[in-house]
Amino acid sequence: MTNRKIKWAMFVITAIGNFIAMLDSTTVNLALYPMSVDLHVTMGQIQWVMIAYMLVLTVFLPFFGKLGDIFPKNKLYSTGFSIFALGAFLSMISPTFVLLVASRCFEALGASVMLSNAQAIIASIFKKERRGKALGLNGCIVAIGGMSGPALGGLLINTFGWHSVFFPCIPVAVIGAFYSWKMLPNYVKKRKKFKFDYKGFFYFTISLFALLLAISEGYQWGWTSLKIITLGIITFIFGALFYIRDHKINYPLIDFNMFHIKQFTFGNLAVMMSYMAMFTNSILLPFYLQEILRLNALIAGLLILPYSVTLSFVAPVSGRLSGKYGSRYLTIAGPIVYIIALLIFTTFNKATPMWEIVMASGIMGIGNGLFQSPSNNAIMTSVRKEELGIASGILALSRNMGNILGVAVTITLFETFRELFLNHGQIYETAFLNSYHTTMCFGIFFGTACLIFAFIAYKPQKY
């Protein structure tokens, strides 16, 4: 096998990890409504099936990213695939809500191993234009995972129930584990003594968990309640302890010095805001399709499908163009396009035709495809080669923070507004739709923030 073929083989293996993460995410997202009905939990509670997964995935990214610098990639990546497969199996057989959330946490450990090292592997084996092309193709493979997720998930839910949505990831992860062990690099340049900031990790985890718990439960407990105030104080104290500690030690969990690079800092902020904007709709749309339009899971999945179809076509093209011409205009065009899609979503009602749902989902996919690959390319290009590992970890951290906050904020806003409208005498369907529209406006706000951060990040430097 030639050197070029070996590189692309390693790329495919790496991208498979992202593929199953997206496949799992889109199928589980579609299954949230039947899960909540079957397990007799509220919409606010069922969100923890996703939030717990992303929380564990996120807080372990720095840890596994650091392991990637000192342990062979083949062993680490293979382990990640194996843990993910076992976690998906345990999720599939979980009979209760508590066991389901616990299994999702275990599954997230495997995903964290893979996602913390994926961008670094791709960025290290490809240069310049090929790097942009590779990152674009990675976006395409991720989109294929998302594209197959809703349709496959809908079919599985309709035929076998929501438990079955976890099954497709299991054989893919097992195959990925085998080929990771066989083909990914099995050496490290220099074995050094492992140092990890366990105290910083503890501070970071406590602060993030308290923040998410406060956002998720604020509308139920009351924003001025003692519980929420206490969680706010915990978030601030442990966040401050984490920041101070990481500035004092020479092996920080997150290297804050990298944030002196404007393109890196504002690029990561733009990525986080883009995912918050995306999740504003992706979380609520399946509920709208199944609860208001009364569509079955298969039809709902097919209506969500255009998002991934357009994303799979646009992402590799935009990635290649960014490698050749730069990321500035593409990262500005992306948020503008999906803001247009979110504006269309604010008009949805009980009589909305299917073609309009398909069109809005497709436009959303185009916007995301225009933004993600060029943004990832620009962020990874802004740092030195020896910083690619930690840069990859921080980029994954930003992306998953956007995911977590997107889910938590969206569900909190939706349920708060829905309760408000119900208390004002509106019938359930009207309250649902008004809350849905209002929450989409916040998605537009997140998209606008993404646009501003992208404009600042990739603004040409004046010398």
Side-chain angles (χ1 to χ4, degrees), residues 362-434:
I363 293 173
M364 183 74 88
I366 292 172
N368 201 21
L370 286 172
F371 176 79
Q372 294 301 335
S373 297
S375 182
N376 291 344
N377 186 29
I379 290 169
M380 297 303 291
T381 305
S382 69
V383 301
R384 298 190 303 269
K385 185 176 180 180
E386 56 270 23
E387 296 174 326
L388 285 174
I390 187 64
S392 176
I394 293 174
L395 175 57
L397 188 66
S398 299
R399 184 169 56 241
N400 286 283
M401 280 295 293
N403 288 347
I404 295 171
L405 292 174
V407 174
V409 170
T410 296
I411 295 293
T412 299
L413 288 171
F414 176 80
E415 294 218 322
T416 300
F417 288 126
R418 186 182 61 182
E419 196 70 26
L420 181 66
F421 291 132
L422 286 171
N423 289 338
H424 278 73
Q426 294 183 3
I427 63 172
Y428 181 81
E429 288 184 351
T430 303
F432 184 104
L433 289 170
N434 286 336

Side-chain angles (χ1 to χ4, degrees), residues 37-206:
V37 174
D38 185 46
L39 297 175
H40 308 291
V41 294
T42 66
M43 190 175 174
Q45 290 172 312
I46 203 63
Q47 69 175 316
W48 283 96
V49 173
M50 292 193 71
I51 289 181
Y53 174 87
M54 289 186 285
L55 176 63
V56 172
L57 189 156
T58 301
V59 298
F60 277 95
L61 284 171
F63 176 72
F64 291 126
K66 192 169 183 68
L67 285 184
D69 290 333
I70 61 174
F71 287 106
K73 289 288 192 296
N74 67 327
K75 293 179 181 178
L76 194 62
Y77 224 75
S78 182
T79 301
F81 270 120
S82 301
I83 294 173
F84 189 91
L86 181 56
F89 174 75
L90 293 174
S91 297
M92 184 176 68
I93 63 173
S94 295
T96 66
F97 173 69
V98 173
L99 287 176
L100 176 60
V101 172
S103 299
R104 291 283 287 165
C105 290
F106 186 76
E107 186 181 0
L109 287 174
S112 188
V113 172
M114 296 182 289
L115 290 176
S116 60
N117 289 279
Q119 298 283 359
I121 294 174
I122 294 172
S124 64
I125 60 180
F126 294 102
K127 312 299 177 188
K128 297 183 180 178
E129 186 178 339
R130 288 186 182 275
R131 179 183 290 176
K133 180 182 178 182
L135 289 169
L137 285 171
N138 182 55
C140 181
I141 291 174
V142 169
I144 292 171
M147 181 171 59
S148 54
L152 181 60
L155 180 63
L156 289 171
I157 293 168
N158 259 19
T159 309
F160 303 107
W162 65 261
H163 290 274
S164 62
V165 299
F166 298 102
F167 176 75
C169 291
I170 298 173
V172 176
V174 171
I175 293 169
F178 174 77
Y179 282 102
S180 294
W181 186 277
K182 297 286 286 184
M183 297 198 69
L184 288 184
N186 59 0
Y187 65 89
V188 286
K189 288 185 178 179
K190 184 179 179 182
R191 172 76 73 163
K192 49 188 177 182
K193 187 178 178 181
F194 178 70
K195 285 186 176 182
F196 184 74
D197 181 17
Y198 293 101
K199 280 189 178 180
F201 175 75
F202 175 75
Y203 296 154
F204 177 71
T205 303
I206 295 298

